């Protein structure tokens, strides 16, 4: 039972970081993200974002590029290799804590810099995702021309798009293509 959300926060943060740095702020003409944008990006995932510093931004961008490799993996073996490469770069010192949210496990040692906490939680989230679901519930969006990634930890595990908007566009395009094909075959 996942009572503290670290697993889902790590997965969600991984998806957010990959999409933020490798899609939204990728390319030479993209403006460099600010520390305020990084704080806003990671706040929903239970990070103590007030500890983020401007010096962490390029380090997190490089980490996001490494995380992306797990989502792009062609098979489970490649994803595991990439996940293990992420795990090899972190130091985990799990400990039980209770600071008002009930007893739970923290992966990061006390007092580590923000960037290390982000790396530890995202690597552990990805490792748990792979261990629990393999690669069947994560990847690059199935919509044409979309490069964003997704991870599906829902009960049914059917997600293949980064967002409802991409899923809707793909469904509408498929519907129109079927309609054109049906209309074209009737004229023969």
């Amino acid at each position: 039972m996942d009572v503290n959300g670290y697993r889902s926060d790590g997965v969600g943060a991984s998806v957010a970081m990959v999409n933020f740095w490798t899609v939204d702020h990728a390319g030479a003409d993209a403006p460099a993200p600010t520390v305020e944008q990084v704080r806003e990006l990671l706040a929903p995932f239970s990070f103590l974002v007030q500890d983020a510093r401007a010096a962490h931004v390029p380090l997190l961008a490089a980490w996001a590029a490494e995380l992306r490799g797990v989502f792009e993996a062609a098979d489970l073996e490649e994803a595991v290799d990439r996940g293990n490469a992420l795990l090899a770069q972190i130091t985990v010192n799990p400990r039980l804590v209770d600071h008002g949210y009930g007893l739970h496990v923290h992966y990061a040692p006390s007092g580590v810099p923000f960037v290390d906490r982000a790396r530890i939680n995202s690597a552990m989230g990805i490792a748990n995702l792979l261990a629990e679901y393999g690669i069947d519930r994560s990847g690059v969006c199935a919509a044409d021309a979309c490069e964003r990634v997704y991870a599906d930890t829902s009960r049914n595990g059917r997600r293949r798009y980064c967002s409802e908007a991409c899923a809707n566009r793909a469904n509408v395009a498929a519907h129109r293509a079927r309609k054109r094909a049906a209309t074209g075959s009737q004229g023969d």
Side-chain angles (χ1 to χ4, degrees):
M1 173 159 59
D2 188 19
V3 295
N4 66 12
Y6 273 131
R7 186 170 14 187
S8 59
D9 284 347
V11 172
S14 297
V15 169
M17 286 190 289
V18 168
N19 289 335
F20 183 76
W21 273 291
T22 69
V23 179
D24 301 342
H25 289 89
D29 58 338
T34 65
V35 70
E36 291 79 19
Q37 288 174 306
V38 172
R39 288 175 180 154
E40 186 177 311
L41 173 76
L42 294 176
F45 305 105
S46 303
F47 286 96
L48 299 173
V49 295
Q50 68 273 14
D51 295 344
R53 302 288 176 257
H56 297 150
V57 175
L59 299 172
L60 290 171
W63 183 250
E66 291 188 60
L67 286 168
R68 185 174 187 87
V70 175
F71 294 95
E72 292 177 333
D75 55 37
L76 182 59
E77 184 178 352
E78 180 184 353
V80 168
D81 287 346
R82 290 175 182 264
N84 282 333
L86 295 171
L87 292 171
Q89 296 178 58
I90 63 171
T91 300
V92 179
N93 185 10
R95 58 194 171 89
L96 291 168
V97 297
D98 184 358
H99 44 84
Y101 301 106
L103 193 60
H104 59 279
V105 177
H106 275 209
Y107 298 132
S110 185
V112 300
F114 177 82
V115 69
D116 292 335
R117 290 193 314 263
R119 289 167 47 118
I120 289 166
N121 285 328
S122 59
M124 293 302 295
I126 290 295
N128 282 309
L129 178 73
L130 290 172
E132 194 162 334
Y133 301 116
I135 61 168
D136 295 335
R137 292 179 172 222
S138 61
V140 179
C141 183
D144 289 339
C146 184
E147 296 178 23
R148 296 173 66 81
V149 301
Y150 69 91
D152 185 356
T153 58
S154 70
R155 179 169 279 175
N156 70 7
R158 296 175 165 265
R159 186 171 175 185
R160 298 294 173 255
Y161 299 94
C162 68
S163 66
E164 284 188 35
C166 273
N168 289 339
R169 277 193 296 274
N171 288 333
V172 167
H175 172 74
R176 289 179 178 159
R178 285 190 304 271
K179 207 172 177 181
R180 277 192 304 275
T183 303
S185 66
Q186 289 176 358
D188 290 337

